[in-house]
Every structure is written in C-alpha cells, then in structure tokens.
Amino acid sequence: MSSSGGPAAPERTAIIDAAAIAQNVGTIAEYVRPAKVLAAVKADGYGHGMLTAARAALAGGADWLGTAHVAEALQLRDAGIDAPVLAWLHTRQTDFAAAIAAHIDLGVSGWELTEITAAAQRLQSPARIHLKIDTGLGRNGSTLDQWPALIRQAQWAQEEGLISVVGIFTHLAVADEPDRRDTDQQLETFRAALQTAEDHGIVPDLRHAANTPAALSRPDAHFDMVRVGVGIYGQSPFADRSAESLGLVPAMELRTTLANVKHVPAGQGISYGLTHRVDTPTTLGLVPLGYADGIPRIAVGAPVLIRGRRYHSVGRVAMDQFVVDLGTDTEAQVGDEVTVFGGDSGISAAEWGAAAQTINYEVITRIGARVPREVINESAVQPAEALQ
Ligand SMILES: *Cc1c(COP(=O)(O)O)cnc(C)c1O
C-alpha cells in the first residue's frame, strides 16, 4: 500500500487501451475500403487479451474476427461474441463438429475437408469454409498441384449441401517489404487459383490475401477482405516505418516500478555471466520484469523511461529482473515508475524487438501471464446497452 493512502501502483502491469484498438481498426478500414476487415485476435489478442481485443475491434468496425485455432474461436463464442469468426490452423485433434455447431468458419488447406464434411454430415448442418491456397509462403494451404482436386472435392461437397465455400484465401510472405517482387508473384498465383475455382463453378464472396503490411501498402492485395493483426494493436509491420507515421496508436503499455537503486564502483559486474562491467562508478536501477514475464533474455541496451528520461538495460535479462544503468546524475529512486514501452514513453515494442534480434510482434505476444492486464478506455468501445 502506498504511504499516501491512495491505491498502490500495481507492481507490474500491461495497460491495454481498448479505444486505441478500436481506433486502429477504423484507421485501417480507411486504407482498405471497400474491402472488409477481419481482426486477428489469435494468441490472446497478440498479448492484449483476446476478448478485450475482439470487443474493441468490433466496436471499431471490424467485420470479422480471426483466430489460428478453433479452440480460440470457441472461446469467443463462449463469451457471447456472435460476429463472423474464421479459424485456420487445425490438427487431427481439432473439434470440427464443435466449430460447425458454433458457426465458426474453417480454413481448409487439404486433409481437413474430408473430416469437416464428415462432421457436417453427422450434424446435418453445413460447414462454412474458406479454401486456402499456398501461393509461396510454404506453410499451410493447398499446393498448386493439389488445388484442382481440392476444388473438385469442395464442389462435390457443396452440391451435397455439406459445405458452403464462403472464401478463398492465401497468406503473404514478404508484404512487410513492399518492393519485393515475390508479393507480385504470390498475387498472380492467387488470381490464377481463383480462376481455377471459378472454372469449377466456385465463386466465393470473400477472396482475401492481405495481412497488416499488405493492407497498408498494397491496394492490389485487398480483394474483398483484409486480415489484420499487428496493426490493430498499434504496431508497425514495417522495419523502417513507425506506427505513428502510419496513423496507428500502440495499445499496450508495459509498466513497473524500480525495485532497487544503488551506487556501485567502477568494475561492478552485472547479472548472470558477468557479460557487462561498468567502467566508471555509476547508479544501477533494478527493473522487476524478466524473461518469465516475456522480456527477451537476449535483449541488450534496450530502453526504458524513468522520470521522463531514457535509460538502457545492461547485462543479461534474468527470469524476474533486469538492470538499467542510471548514470551518475540520476534522480531515480526506488518506487519510481518505469515504462518499458508504449504509452507516452516514446519507446516502441519495435525498439525492444531491435534490441533483442526479434520483432514487435514477438515482444507484445510474449508478455507473460504474470503481468496483469489493466484495460483502459473500455467504456468508450462498449455498446450503449452494456453501459449502465
Ligand atoms: C496472424 C495472421 C494474420 C495477421 O497478420 P498481421 O501481420 O499481424 O496483420 C493474417 N492472416 C493469417 C493467416 C495469419 O495467421
């Protein structure tokens, strides 16, 4: 408890700005109109909380929600969210029957179609599917060789009333580097695959290919819908462009307070491995967040903001903590607020990514369960009837 008697600052928190998510969806919708927007809320809403993200995205105008797993999509339904949902990454353990019963659309790359039609047959309820073509990413999706056979199987199942082909989609590999020709080639292959489908009488309502970077940089990839994740959380998908320059507002701020401050002599080693030694007397600040909280262990020289000043991490990140060098003229004290990234700090998750040989996507999605999420501006994105 704080000595002033007010509520104590939480020891560590990820502050999630629901209004920012809604606003980012609106901003992206402007870029892609008249294409629809599917908001990717997989991986616990990229670390922001799946339900928070889903509700904010829908309030901001998202038409669809997207998850990797059917289990994630079912959680949306359990929470009473009845917007269209697409789930696209399945295993033999995936409960297709539950998905069909819950009106969850299913991505189909190949083998799933047989299982899905069998489930639809048992339920006497048609499945809604989106056929996926691999146009170059080499992950999921039908190969070009298998595509005509998959189309024929889908055509048969649709005629039998077992499925409805709602969409055809693909996923891009290098859209974050807008000038690479590989994207042109992927889109060309996608258009050819759509033509093959059309030749077999399959003309879905929703053709979709674009992720966030393509939504923001490739109008020729918009088709009928874009599937955007990182952008709705206010993160730039481009290495050389800030979120701000794209009109996006970061929706996660990671904060804690200094756990210790101490003066040390020149030569003081820091953290496991003693990979860093200070070469002059200095002041060290101890930040109580570590790799168990999702702070990348290999981050070095990563920024934090304390009392309006930037400091940098030194030595290895440990499980629960890391150290920042506060220099000799610091006023920082135990208990001072530390912003790791986001909010008004001017520090982006992308900067942490750069310090840790990774990307902002990984930084935000890995913030761990030990960090409580505090949602702000939630009332701004709630439907009026929920506001009493
Ligand atoms: C995660 C994902 C997206 C969203 O990608 P972003 O780069 O975060 O916009 C889109 N489509 C598929 C298939 C995905 O798995």
Side-chain angles (χ1 to χ4, degrees):
M1 226 187 277
S2 72
S3 49
S4 69
E11 292 190 283
R12 52 193 70 75
T13 177
I15 299 163
I16 308 302
D17 185 346
I21 295 173
Q23 183 185 326
N24 293 326
V25 169
T27 301
I28 293 168
E30 292 281 334
Y31 277 90
V32 306
R33 223 183 289 283
K36 291 187 156 72
V37 174
L38 174 150
V41 297
K42 61 190 177 182
D44 200 24
Y46 287 44
H48 296 64
M50 183 169 67
L51 298 179
T52 301
R55 293 188 180 117
L58 292 169
D63 305 282
W64 281 71
L65 299 172
T67 64
H69 307 157
V70 162
E72 294 173 308
L74 289 168
Q75 284 175 37
L76 293 171
R77 290 288 184 257
D78 287 347
I81 294 173
D82 56 9
V85 180
L86 172 64
W88 51 71
L89 181 60
H90 316 302
T91 66
R92 294 278 184 205
Q93 287 72 41
T94 298
D95 191 343
F96 292 117
I100 295 167
H103 307 287
I104 291 162
D105 287 39
L106 295 162
V108 168
S109 294
W111 65 267
E112 305 97 325
L113 189 51
T114 305
E115 299 203 8
I116 289 169
T117 50
Q121 177 83 268
R122 280 196 308 277
L123 288 172
Q124 288 294 295
S125 173
R128 294 167 50 92
I129 69 160
H130 299 231
L131 295 168
K132 186 167 194 183
I133 175 83
D134 177 7
T135 57
L137 181 60
R139 296 190 332 195
N140 230 333
S142 166
T143 61
L144 295 178
D145 277 355
Q146 292 295 314
W147 184 245
L150 182 61
I151 290 292
R152 280 193 296 273
Q153 189 185 350
Q155 186 192 23
W156 166 83
Q158 187 159 260
E159 278 164 10
E160 294 290 306
L162 297 172
I163 64 166
S164 163
V165 181
V166 177
I168 293 181
F169 72 121
T170 192
H171 196 34
L172 300 172
V174 297
D176 56 320
E177 301 171 74
D179 296 332
R180 282 181 64 168
R181 295 234 24 250
D182 307 78
T183 303
D184 302 317
Q185 279 161 12
Q186 281 198 263
L187 295 177
E188 203 172 301
T189 304
F190 185 50
R191 285 188 288 265
L194 290 169
Q195 187 60 55
T196 303
E198 189 177 334
D199 293 345
H200 288 80
I202 295 197
V203 185
D205 285 343
L206 294 174
R207 302 160 298 167
H208 46 110
N211 49 7
T212 301
L216 300 179
S217 71
R218 296 282 311 224
D220 57 338
H222 291 170
F223 294 93
D224 305 306
M225 181 164 80
V226 301
R227 304 182 308 270
V228 288
V230 88
I232 75 168
Y233 304 104
Q235 300 290 331
S236 170
F238 304 113
D240 58 353
R241 294 199 61 183
S242 68
E244 195 181 12
S245 76
L246 297 164
L248 301 173
V249 182
M252 182 192 291
E253 175 181 1
L254 181 60
R255 249 199 231 165
T256 184
T257 63
L258 274 180
N260 200 15
V261 174
K262 65 185 181 188
H263 303 292
V264 297
Q268 172 72 53
I270 293 168
S271 193
Y272 295 128
L274 299 176
T275 56
H276 184 82
R277 280 181 194 280
V278 297
D279 47 20
T280 57
T282 190
T283 309
L284 300 178
L286 188 63
V287 180
L289 285 166
Y291 60 77
D293 304 297
I295 301 295
R297 180 172 177 272
I298 58 163
V300 201
V304 301
L305 197 81
I306 302 165
R307 292 187 182 232
R309 279 181 62 180
R310 266 183 186 239
Y311 299 100
H312 292 91
S313 70
V314 285
R316 267 189 203 148
V317 173
M319 187 181 293
D320 312 304
Q321 51 200 299
F322 65 94
V323 175
V324 292
D325 190 338
L326 299 169
T328 47
D329 69 337
T330 184
E331 289 174 4
Q333 293 178 15
V334 173
D336 279 358
E337 190 172 281
V338 180
T339 303
V340 179
F341 58 79
D344 297 326
S345 68
I347 298 172
S348 64
E351 281 179 82
W352 268 85
Q357 297 167 49
T358 183
I359 53 175
N360 49 359
Y361 288 73
E362 185 173 350
V363 171
I364 57 175
T365 53
R366 292 186 72 160
I367 298 307
R370 199 165 64 168
V371 180
R373 271 55 170 178
E374 179 195 338
V375 182
I376 60 168
N377 296 327
E378 207 167 19
S379 60
V381 302
Q382 268 169 15
E385 69 269 20
L387 269 182
Q388 291 135 44

